Amino acid sequence: MSWLFTLDHKRIGILYMIAVLTFFLVGGIFAIVLRVMLALPIADAGNQMGMEMNDTRAIVHSQNATVPDEALNLIFNPGQRTPEELQTDVEAVLTDTAAKNPNANVPIVDYAQLNEARTAAAGNYATKLNNHNTLYNQSFTLHGAVMVFLFIIPAIPAIIGNFVLPLMLGAKDVAFPRLNLASWYCYMGGAIFFIWVLGKGIMNYIVPTLERVWGGGGLDTGWTFYTPYSTETNTAVVAATGGAFILGFSSILTAVNFIASIHMLRPKNMTWFRMPLMLWALYATAVIQILATPVLAITLLLLIAERVLHVGIFDPALGGDPILYQHFFWFYSHPAVYIMILPAMGIVSEVISVFSRKHIFGYAFIACSSMAIAILGFLVWGHHMFTSGQSELLNAVFSIITMLVAIPSAIKVFNWLTTMYNGSIRLDSPMLYALGFIWLFTIGGLTGIYCATLAVNIHIHDTYFIVAHFHYVMVGSTLFAFLAGMHYWWPKMFGKMYSERWAQIGWFLVFVGFNVTFFIQFIMGALGMPRRYATYIDKYQIYHHISTGGSLILTVGLFLVLFVWIHSLLRGKQAPANPWGANSLEWHTVSPPPHANFDHAPPATDPYDYSHWRWKPEIEGYILDEASEPEERQAMAHNDS
Amino acid sequence: MNKVDEHHDPHLAHHFDTPVQQYSSAKVGMWVFLATEILMFGGLFCAYAVYRGTHPEVFLYANHFLDTNLGAINTVVLLTSSLTMAWAVRAAQLGQQKLLVGLLFLTLLGGFGFMGIKTIEYTSKYKHGLWVGTENAFYYKSDSFTNPEKLVGAVEYGESHNAVTPSTESTDSLSEQIKDVAQNDEQVNQPQAVLPTDAQTNIPEANQGPVGLSTQFGRNEGDAAAYNYPEKKPLTYEDLTPQQRTLVSQFFQIYFLMTGLHGIHVLVGMALIFWLLIRSMLGTFGPKYFVPVDLVGLYWHIVDLIWIFLFPLLYLIH
């Protein structure tokens, strides 16, 4: 129980971890449901048709007669024929068969019964297809909404940020510990709304009669809740948007906490340009959360008002403008992409430097590019609406600004590469994930240029190309950086080491699985496979099969990662204070840190100077080499005592 | 470091070094939170700007139904309560207990006054049928909407609770009747709105699809003329095209959403001030500990500030 009322940022971080990973599992299950449905839709349709054919064949065969295939083909594919025309044509075939083969027992077809049976079968098939589509629509909506609102956005700031931010500052806690706990409760509250929606939708699917008991559930709008569909569908839009509204509070409270902590709790000798880059990234993220989340809040409130009161802000029939909804929505949701990726970049900056044993290259550029991305992120929302009918001028402006984001992003990538150049690189699992991040982010970023190019965008709009692009950028990058951070700080969080070998195998499966799943989607999308469809023409089946295969590898990999972590908790070796030889302040305290984090707050020096840490084989960790400590630190230590 | 302060302050949390640091942190946090409030209202201001831009005549017409006097009184009430709140912060800092309690009480009274007047306004709008939602809004009930006679009937009905059968002449002088209604509301000096000479403007019809932010808007030759207002002339119901009449509701949707959200904030502020009042009566606040008073004060000023923008935008601009 003490956990549920804890004000300790470390425990809140771990509470977040349990919750977020649970919802990641839920979102992941729906991802697999989608991929399996997409791998089998043709077979499924074939089975349905086969069953109908058997039903109908039974009617015809009841006379112990053989029905020629040609006649059956006509019966099942009547085309534009009226029943009378069909009857004439089928009679012709039967007569023809009888003429060719006098011994055949040609049936006398009861066309009234046949038509009835066929109509019933078609209706049955339509119902099944409708159910199939409903399940698909609800699954992709829940997959998207759960993953975006419950996993990717909070994952790094709420779990890793909460845990390491005060430690990196050398502080005892975040500025407002009670607000921090409140933020976790907001998160859980919002999540309950989502799970309620999900549970109702799925139960309605499994037991259709339940819908009469508790009404429509589920959500089939996509995670974007676009009007006018979201005001008309009979699914639980209000519950879901209400949940997202509450989640927004969680996001805002965390951001307020981070900004106040970074401003007020920095030790005197940690100037802004001596903060670890992770803190810069979290700071930039918090700024975006502060500026963007309230706009989402008002958008969702307007949507709820529209749905409940029909106020006509977004309904053209009442003078509203659905495009305004998109402007509002993307004013939040595009910056939200940077809420997802900026902290990821912070983690990668830390990991790349530590595992290359080299000072980070271009510190100020990385720090400033975080802020540049945060600012530019607010000016590019219109690129989600190139095909919405907004003016060409707006399109062109948004296209240009969107491409500008490539500059600070590329600055970071080049700085990471330069940091690795001539470094003594250790390929431990955090580093592998960080390298995976660079790979995926580069692919995702470069394909982003395709998406930002107006003419190309028209072609690839709403195809799997877009699906692949945002999975590479949002999932690939965030997930990989999240895993990098989790492996990097795991010893600090739990005081246990994990099996490095199995962690690396896990990385390999995740990396291969991810690329197999999503790279093929670029090709599929460029060929024209639209997104958000439960069925498709045969041409795309092979791509969907490969993609589904990749997603299964990815699943195995992620479960392996989970088992590595659980194994580490149960059987792991005691972790040293500093297993990687990093120099940011969290590594100056024991693992896991005590309640108030530090016995003596360590003096902050250059966080990327590793020269005075020495490997000590007995403890399998690094210890401070007093003799080679910088003079500054010695001077400060002297002043303290 | 971490030495126990000999003058240990019971209000100093363990993770802060000094009360000043704690106080500054709280202020930073509050200001950041207030920034989010501004941005949340920003969405509504944005919607206001967009729809005012796309349907200016409608806004000019519809804002006649708001009671400027009540709005002005409310502005004064809220500004006064802001003054007493600021004074209360000062009283807390100086340790003037009785003054603090009194000022907080006055501030709370201001909140009640504001919400009371708001209730009167909302009630009168409701009686007039000027309410959110397609079901309740009189302009959507086709018989009352398409037929100005019944519209007048609806307005008058709301006033007198007594159905008046409008005379046939009344269709020619709807604005006169509305003015009469306004005078009943002691709303004598209602400024006259203006209308383009050509009442048939080329503002795109909303039900043809998205307007305003879409390519359609601004492409029609008549649009420029529509904004020039060459000749001042009272705006009447007949001057509006059927589409514009439909859109009258939009002004009220925005009015209710903006003032409604603001009203919720006032209620939250009142709850906070009530909490402060209880604590100040217990003598919690003094020169060493006044952060909650200060922060609630900041919140109350933001609520006030938002109203300062709402009042002219909704009530005054013609």
Side-chain angles (χ1 to χ4, degrees):
Chain A
M1 280 307 279
S2 68
W3 278 76
L4 292 180
F5 298 105
T6 182
L7 298 181
D8 185 354
H9 70 97
K10 298 185 286 295
R11 284 187 162 194
I12 292 172
I14 290 168
L15 283 177
Y16 260 118
M17 186 190 86
I18 296 166
V20 168
L21 288 181
T22 308
F23 297 126
F24 179 57
L25 181 67
V26 173
I29 288 170
F30 277 92
I32 295 301
V33 168
L34 293 177
R35 285 268 34 114
V36 170
M37 285 176 87
L38 285 169
L40 307 170
I42 309 273
D44 190 46
N47 282 340
Q48 300 286 352
M49 286 306 283
M51 280 160 64
E52 290 162 38
M53 285 178 81
N54 284 337
D55 290 349
T56 320
R57 204 189 291 264
I59 294 166
V60 181
H61 279 202
S62 58
Q63 310 157 41
N64 280 330
T66 319
V67 186
D69 285 347
E70 206 184 333
L72 272 181
N73 275 341
L74 272 176
I75 290 168
F76 290 116
N77 302 304
Q80 300 294 321
R81 293 178 182 85
T82 61
E84 293 75 33
E85 287 167 359
L86 178 65
Q87 185 170 348
T88 317
D89 288 353
V90 175
E91 294 286 3
V93 173
L94 293 179
T95 320
D96 193 34
T97 314
K100 277 181 192 162
N101 187 358
N103 296 331
N105 183 3
V106 177
I108 303 157
V109 180
D110 180 347
Y111 288 96
Q113 199 188 0
L114 184 66
N115 267 333
E116 199 180 314
R118 204 180 54 224
T119 314
N124 199 18
Y125 175 60
T127 311
K128 280 179 179 164
L129 192 65
N130 192 31
N131 280 342
H132 183 78
N133 286 340
T134 305
L135 180 66
Y136 184 82
N137 289 344
Q138 297 203 353
S139 298
F140 82 66
T141 302
L142 262 302
H143 165 67
V146 167
M147 284 300 197
V148 168
F149 291 116
L150 297 180
F151 176 68
I152 331 182
I153 288 179
I156 299 180
I159 301 175
I160 296 178
N162 250 327
F163 193 92
V164 303
L165 181 132
L167 285 164
M168 284 186 143
L169 286 170
K172 289 177 202 152
D173 208 327
V174 289
F176 313 117
R178 271 186 291 184
L179 220 51
N180 205 9
L181 185 65
S183 145
W184 184 75
Y185 276 104
C186 281
Y187 174 81
M188 293 308 285
I192 284 168
F193 272 84
F194 266 93
I195 298 304
W196 179 49
V197 167
L198 175 151
K200 268 175 86 173
I202 296 306
M203 288 307 291
N204 284 352
Y205 178 77
I206 298 170
V207 191
T209 46
L210 274 176
E211 190 160 349
R212 268 177 248 147
V213 181
W214 60 20
L219 184 67
D220 59 355
T221 60
W223 74 278
T224 53
F225 313 118
Y226 267 10
T227 55
Y229 184 67
S230 57
T231 56
E232 287 170 5
T233 172
N234 59 358
T235 52
V237 175
V238 173
T241 47
F245 181 82
I246 299 170
L247 287 169
F249 268 100
S250 163
S251 196
I252 285 176
L253 294 182
T254 304
V256 168
N257 237 329
F258 284 5
I259 289 181
S261 304
I262 290 176
H263 271 277
M264 301 309 301
L265 296 181
R266 269 179 302 123
K268 281 198 187 69
N269 50 347
M270 186 189 279
T271 57
W272 279 93
F273 281 92
R274 254 189 186 177
M275 289 197 309
L277 288 165
M278 177 72 182
L279 292 183
W280 269 106
L282 287 172
Y283 184 75
T285 309
V287 168
I288 305 176
Q289 283 177 311
I290 289 296
L291 297 180
T293 316
V295 179
L296 178 72
I298 195 67
T299 311
L300 296 178
L301 285 184
L302 287 175
L303 176 57
I304 292 172
E306 180 87 45
R307 212 179 143 82
V308 177
L309 302 170
H310 309 285
V311 296
I313 294 283
F314 301 129
D315 182 355
L318 306 179
D321 189 347
I323 305 295
L324 184 68
Y325 177 85
Q326 296 189 21
H327 278 288
F328 278 167
F329 181 82
W330 288 113
F331 185 81
Y332 164 77
S333 293
H334 194 79
V337 173
Y338 300 108
I339 295 177
M340 303 165 196
I341 205 160
L342 276 173
M345 292 168 156
I347 290 176
V348 172
S349 302
E350 298 294 321
V351 169
I352 292 278
S353 173
V354 169
F355 288 88
S356 302
R357 311 302 306 151
K358 248 186 87 193
H359 194 282
I360 190 88
F361 183 87
Y363 171 93
F365 279 91
I366 298 184
C368 294
S369 66
S370 285
M371 294 311 287
I373 290 175
I375 293 162
L376 283 174
F378 277 100
L379 306 175
V380 302
W381 77 88
H383 70 218
H384 293 268
M385 298 154 62
F386 283 158
T387 60
S388 73
Q390 66 182 1
S391 76
E392 285 88 347
L393 177 67
L394 269 185
N395 280 354
V397 169
F398 278 123
S399 174
I400 291 166
I401 307 174
T402 301
M403 293 197 189
L404 284 183
V405 182
I407 296 171
S409 309
I411 285 175
K412 282 181 191 285
V413 173
F414 289 131
N415 276 322
W416 294 326
L417 296 181
T418 320
T419 304
M420 284 190 283
Y421 179 76
N422 260 353
S424 61
I425 295 173
R426 280 174 52 187
L427 288 178
D428 287 332
S429 45
M431 184 64 167
L432 287 175
Y433 279 111
L435 294 176
F437 170 94
I438 296 178
W439 169 266
L440 299 175
F441 179 69
T442 306
I443 293 178
L446 290 177
T447 52
I449 297 173
Y450 292 55
C451 302
T453 308
L454 287 170
V456 182
N457 183 279
I458 305 295
H459 176 68
I460 59 177
H461 176 79
D462 261 355
T463 66
Y464 268 73
F465 193 94
I466 303 293
V467 176
H469 162 71
F470 72 69
H471 275 87
Y472 262 88
V473 180
M474 285 158 57
V475 187
S477 307
T478 309
L479 178 67
F480 271 67
F482 171 67
L483 292 174
M486 286 303 286
H487 284 90
Y488 178 59
W489 280 295
W490 186 268
K492 184 56 67 184
M493 289 172 90
F494 296 101
K496 302 276 187 181
M497 295 305 288
Y498 49 83
S499 160
E500 183 58 42
R501 173 196 294 266
W502 283 101
Q504 287 177 359
I505 295 172
W507 170 82
F508 180 77
L509 289 176
V510 172
F511 184 75
V512 170
F514 186 90
N515 281 290
V516 172
T517 307
F518 292 109
F519 197 84
I520 198 80
Q521 293 185 0
F522 283 121
I523 300 165
M524 189 168 29
L527 290 174
M529 171 75 206
R531 67 196 272 205
R532 295 181 169 168
Y533 276 68
T535 50
Y536 48 82
I537 57 173
D538 293 354
K539 171 179 151 187
Y540 300 113
Q541 191 165 29
I542 178 68
Y543 303 103
H544 278 294
H545 280 171
I546 295 172
S547 187
T548 302
S551 71
L552 295 177
I553 301 176
L554 181 58
T555 310
V556 172
L558 287 171
F559 271 106
L560 185 58
V561 170
L562 182 66
F563 289 133
V564 168
W565 290 351
I566 292 173
H567 179 265
S568 144
L569 288 180
L570 300 177
R571 296 281 166 81
K573 275 190 298 184
Q574 180 65 34
N578 190 355
W580 318 118
N583 191 36
S584 41
L585 294 185
E586 76 271 28
W587 303 106
H588 288 73
T589 183
V590 293
S591 307
H595 181 66
N597 293 347
F598 299 98
D599 292 339
H600 293 277
T605 53
D606 182 350
Y608 300 102
D609 176 14
Y610 308 117
S611 55
H612 47 276
W613 288 92
R614 293 280 170 266
W615 174 253
K616 201 174 176 197
E618 303 93 82
I619 59 162
E620 296 187 21
Y622 285 79
I623 55 161
L624 263 181
D625 188 349
E626 304 287 340
S628 68
E629 272 202 89
E631 283 177 20
E632 186 188 12
R633 182 191 295 273
Q634 288 179 0
M636 282 187 290
H638 183 71
N639 281 346
D640 271 358
S641 61
Chain B
M1 282 206 171
N2 298 346
K3 274 177 279 184
V4 178
D5 195 345
E6 47 266 39
H7 312 290
H8 183 68
D9 184 341
H11 296 295
L12 180 64
H14 81 289
H15 56 289
F16 289 111
D17 294 332
T18 62
V20 175
Q21 187 192 23
Q22 182 174 13
Y23 171 62
S24 312
S25 302
K27 275 228 162 177
V28 168
M30 195 64 195
W31 276 109
V32 174
F33 174 73
L34 294 180
T36 70
E37 291 282 7
I38 298 281
L39 275 147
M40 182 150 139
F41 276 95
L44 285 174
F45 283 115
C46 192
Y48 174 93
V50 167
Y51 293 128
R52 192 180 179 98
T54 49
H55 315 297
E57 304 90 342
V58 171
F59 274 59
L60 289 176
Y61 170 74
N63 105 328
H64 275 234
F65 288 95
L66 296 185
D67 189 332
T68 314
N69 292 338
L70 288 182
I73 294 170
N74 247 354
T75 309
V76 173
V77 168
L78 207 55
L79 277 174
T80 314
S81 76
S82 226
L83 171 72
T84 53
M85 188 70 226
W87 197 355
V89 176
R90 187 68 189 145
Q93 286 171 339
L94 297 176
Q96 299 161 330
Q97 286 294 335
K98 278 187 182 170
L99 190 61
L100 172 64
V101 173
L103 288 168
L104 284 176
F105 182 74
L106 282 179
T107 313
L108 190 59
L109 215 58
F112 274 111
F114 182 87
M115 289 313 288
I117 294 171
K118 203 82 242 171
T119 313
I120 294 169
E121 281 192 83
Y122 274 22
T123 317
S124 106
K125 297 291 163 298
Y126 182 72
K127 282 181 185 164
H128 289 178
L130 302 168
W131 199 243
V132 288
T134 48
E135 296 307 312
N136 300 309
F138 74 94
Y139 13 76
Y140 289 116
K141 290 179 179 161
S142 55
D143 54 336
S144 64
F145 163 60
T146 50
N147 188 348
E149 298 175 28
K150 295 206 176 171
L151 170 80
V152 176
V155 172
E156 289 190 345
Y157 178 77
E159 274 310 301
S160 60
H161 292 269
N162 204 351
V164 177
T165 315
S167 61
T168 41
E169 297 93 83
S170 68
T171 47
D172 304 324
S173 56
L174 182 80
S175 65
E176 299 296 321
Q177 296 222 3
I178 288 170
K179 266 173 78 179
D180 290 341
V181 172
Q183 277 165 352
N184 290 343
D185 281 1
E186 297 181 356
Q187 197 185 24
V188 184
N189 295 320
Q190 185 70 255
Q192 292 301 321
V194 289
L195 180 80
T197 39
D198 180 10
Q200 300 293 316
T201 69
N202 287 315
I203 301 281
E205 293 173 4
N207 53 10
Q208 287 175 344
V211 293
L213 302 170
S214 73
T215 45
Q216 269 189 319
F217 184 65
R219 293 255 174 106
N220 297 309
E221 290 174 9
D223 281 2
Y227 290 107
N228 279 337
Y229 310 127
E231 189 185 325
K232 291 205 168 189
K233 176 179 149 190
L235 186 70
T236 65
Y237 190 78
E238 289 82 52
D239 292 327
L240 301 176
T241 65
Q243 283 74 30
Q244 289 167 346
R245 291 171 191 176
T246 315
L247 294 170
V248 169
S249 71
Q250 192 149 56
F251 176 83
F252 289 99
Q253 321 293 18
I254 288 174
Y255 166 78
F256 279 111
L257 285 170
M258 292 181 103
T259 56
L261 190 65
H262 177 261
I264 291 170
H265 279 78
V266 173
L267 288 177
V268 170
M270 284 163 66
L272 291 171
I273 291 167
F274 181 70
W275 170 71
L276 287 185
L277 190 61
I278 301 290
R279 289 187 76 188
S280 66
M281 285 198 267
L282 298 173
T284 316
F285 304 117
K288 279 201 163 181
Y289 181 64
F290 54 88
V291 180
V293 188
D294 204 2
L295 298 189
V296 173
L298 282 177
Y299 176 83
W300 194 249
H301 297 322
I302 278 287
V303 170
D304 187 26
L305 184 71
I306 289 167
W307 179 255
I308 295 292
F309 281 90
L310 289 183
F311 176 58
L313 284 180
L314 293 169
Y315 290 76
L316 296 183
I317 297 180
H318 289 295

